Amino acid sequence: MKKTFIIASAILAICLSACSKNDLTEVINFDEQSEASFRVVEESEITAQGLYNMTIGALKNNFKAQIFNGVDNAFELASGSQDPATKALPPLLYKTVRIEYTTLDQDMKPVTASALIVYPLLRKMDKVMLINHGTQIGFTMVPTQYTSVEAAMAATGALCILPDYIGLGSSSNHPDLYLNHEVHGRTSVDALLALLDYAKAKKLQLNSNYKSYIVGYSQGGSVSLASLRRVQQLDKATQDRIRLDKVYCGDGPYNLRRTFETYVEDFENGKELGLGSVIPLVINSMFNSYPTEVADLDYEDFFTEWALSTGVPQAIKNNSENVIDMLVKFNGKNLDQILNMEYTEAHPDHLDRLLELMDRQNLCQGWQPEYSLKLLHGNPDGVVPFSNFEEAVAGLSNEKVETKVVDINTEILSNPLLQHVYGMLVMVEEVLAWKF
């Protein structure tokens, strides 16, 4: 069991797959500044098989193959289909482009961010997709380093962009903001606008009647919901340019307080954490997002001596730890082995202050979707509690909202992390088959 988890950990931190640039060909580096709102850093071409290897294949090699049958079939049909209008050859080649663009951080200060663009060659595109990745920790574990399984969605014939979040990729010198939904929603929509500038500058074969879609799972699910909210805050001319059709969010931590409280409830009921590293990640993001409000608090006070002895909380604070180290060190631990319960009980107002800051990032209230939204969640999900789905449905449901519950067979998928992975596979399959 430990071996299985370590293998899984090397591939996935909530939603992660790995690949190598060896799958790419004709790498070109650019030093000049683009005339548009982006700068091309590197571009390559990749085959359909290479795209599969770097996304679905990399993840599949480390789990039971049969649970990938639906995704495999959907990818094969999507990547090999012909354009019914032009009878073009199957899009066997894809372009990958790493760009940098400017966005704003939590203090509304400019910051250089990075993103990966992926799109099929030899086919005219009618879809634009903003794809928000799941939790990926470590400077090599980001989309621009070709490590996101969601990039497989380019096989649908879409022009795709996958932004690195602030604190990762080109902004790795910036404090990690993790679940700061406001910042990441803005950053991702800025990436989408940069993608449209890229398409115009490069004169891509993008249909004049294109539609845009926002997709994300796990952390990417909450960032996608935040991206929808951000789009609705833009002026009409910009919204018209984006042409958003639908948003698809899977298993996202939309309500941080409820997520944290569910972890406490699970602990009281004798359940171990599905992903223990989430605890310092969330606490650190509150310290980084609201430094003034917590200036009199000490980040390390919130963790046990054992947790601090692993170096994980400190590495998260310094934005330096590799994902496999964090997952393995905190695997199978209970909440009280990581969170310093004696401290939080002695200073309940300190924990309450963090929970109040988490409330500021609550995506489940204070607004309503004005575009089509689909919410998917696995039940149970051992990493992102199902209570997030319930909160989102209760707070956001209107005629624009569609829901889907993925019933998890806990006898087959008893590992909390694998439960979470399975929900992602369902979502990726639906997008590849364009059933959402």
Side-chain angles (χ1 to χ4, degrees):
M1 180 64 182
K2 183 177 180 181
K3 180 178 179 182
T4 300
F5 185 87
I6 291 175
I7 292 174
S9 301
I11 301 299
L12 183 69
I14 298 184
C15 238
L16 170 67
S17 67
C19 76
S20 168
K21 288 187 185 179
N22 292 332
D23 291 321
L24 307 175
T25 61
E26 299 181 19
V27 175
I28 305 171
N29 290 300
F30 291 81
D31 295 321
E32 69 272 20
Q33 177 71 37
S34 167
E35 61 181 10
S37 62
F38 60 89
R39 184 176 74 90
V40 174
V41 178
E42 175 187 282
E43 64 179 11
S44 313
E45 290 182 357
I46 185 172
T47 65
Q49 185 62 48
L51 179 64
Y52 177 89
N53 291 342
M54 81 179 231
T55 55
I56 299 168
L59 193 63
K60 179 180 177 180
N61 291 338
N62 294 276
F63 295 101
K64 294 180 179 179
Q66 58 267 32
I67 68 173
F68 286 80
N69 289 342
V71 176
D72 281 347
N73 292 336
F75 181 88
E76 182 177 357
L77 290 172
S79 63
S81 62
Q82 292 185 345
D83 186 319
T86 64
K87 304 298 182 183
L89 292 173
L92 299 180
L93 284 178
Y94 296 82
K95 177 77 79 173
T96 63
V97 185
R98 185 157 58 93
I99 68 166
E100 291 183 340
Y101 64 102
T102 300
T103 185
L104 301 175
D105 67 7
Q106 76 280 9
D107 297 320
M108 302 302 286
K109 294 181 179 179
V111 58
T112 297
S114 49
L116 180 69
I117 295 173
V118 186
Y119 62 93
L121 299 172
L122 308 177
R123 188 161 97 176
K124 195 168 186 177
M125 297 166 285
D126 60 3
K127 297 185 288 288
V128 174
M129 294 183 68
L130 167 60
I131 304 172
N132 294 304
H133 66 77
T135 297
Q136 301 184 22
I137 309 155
F139 301 144
T140 63
M141 304 286 186
V142 294
T144 53
Q145 292 297 317
Y146 310 97
T147 56
S148 289
V149 67
E150 299 95 335
M153 297 175 186
T156 62
L159 172 60
C160 303
I161 190 162
L162 296 86
D164 301 330
Y165 302 142
I166 299 301
L168 299 173
S170 294
S171 62
S172 59
N173 290 329
H174 193 287
D176 180 27
L177 299 177
Y178 192 44
L179 292 178
N180 187 316
H181 297 143
E182 181 179 358
V183 171
H184 294 325
R186 180 171 59 241
T187 299
S188 291
V189 173
D190 286 347
L192 177 57
L193 293 171
L195 177 65
L196 295 176
D197 285 343
Y198 173 87
K200 181 178 180 180
K202 300 297 182 180
K203 297 181 173 60
L204 298 187
Q205 294 188 63
L206 183 62
N207 282 337
S208 59
N209 61 346
Y210 70 86
K211 297 292 185 181
S212 292
Y213 302 85
I214 301 176
V215 181
Y217 188 84
S218 193
Q219 182 187 5
S222 60
V223 174
S224 294
L225 191 57
S227 298
L228 169 57
R229 186 176 65 179
R230 173 59 181 168
V231 168
Q232 294 180 186
Q233 295 168 347
L234 299 175
D235 60 83
K236 184 179 184 301
T238 306
Q239 290 190 46
D240 289 345
R241 183 181 178 222
I242 290 174
R243 301 184 191 177
L244 183 60
D245 189 34
K246 192 169 187 177
V247 179
Y248 192 2
C249 305
D251 290 52
Y254 315 116
N255 186 331
L256 301 190
R257 174 191 280 269
R258 189 70 196 104
T259 299
F260 201 93
E261 290 175 343
T262 301
Y263 290 151
V264 174
E265 293 168 5
D266 287 347
F267 165 71
E268 293 172 347
N269 291 324
K271 296 181 181 180
E272 66 183 40
L273 289 166
L275 195 66
S277 54
V278 167
I279 302 302
L281 279 168
V282 171
I283 293 176
N284 181 60
S285 70
M286 294 301 103
F287 270 79
N288 288 342
S289 297
Y290 306 105
T292 301
E293 288 86 340
V294 296
D296 60 322
L297 303 184
D298 188 336
Y299 165 78
E300 293 188 0
D301 284 343
F302 286 89
F303 306 102
T304 64
E305 290 186 8
W306 174 85
L308 292 172
S309 72
T310 67
V312 171
Q314 302 93 318
I316 288 175
K317 180 179 180 181
N318 296 326
N319 202 13
S320 62
E321 184 82 350
N322 185 286
V323 60
I324 185 172
D325 297 325
M326 287 200 293
L327 286 175
V328 171
K329 288 175 183 176
F330 279 10
N331 176 32
K333 303 302 179 183
N334 294 322
L335 183 65
D336 64 342
Q337 294 176 282
I338 299 172
L339 184 68
N340 188 340
M341 296 293 197
E342 292 183 5
Y343 172 76
T344 57
E345 290 173 1
H347 305 279
D349 55 315
H350 292 182
L351 181 58
D352 286 343
R353 202 185 311 176
L354 289 185
L355 292 173
E356 289 170 1
L357 295 177
M358 293 180 197
D359 280 335
R360 298 188 189 183
Q361 298 299 330
N362 188 353
L363 293 169
C364 300
Q365 59 187 29
W367 68 290
Q368 285 288 302
E370 297 171 4
Y371 294 88
S372 295
L373 168 66
K374 182 171 182 178
L375 297 169
L376 171 147
H377 215 103
N379 187 23
D381 182 328
V383 174
V384 180
F386 188 73
S387 56
N388 281 278
F389 175 80
E390 296 173 320
E391 291 284 321
V393 171
L396 302 178
S397 286
N398 60 21
E399 69 279 0
K400 298 289 187 180
V401 180
E402 174 188 357
T403 62
K404 177 172 182 173
V405 175
V406 178
D407 293 319
I408 304 294
N409 186 329
T410 55
E411 293 183 3
I412 298 175
L413 296 173
S414 57
N415 183 287
L417 184 60
L418 295 186
Q419 293 170 359
H420 194 61
V421 172
Y422 183 72
M424 178 192 68
L425 295 180
V426 171
M427 181 178 190
V428 173
E429 179 183 349
E430 285 201 350
V431 174
L432 286 172
W434 214 248
K435 293 180 179 178
F436 81 101

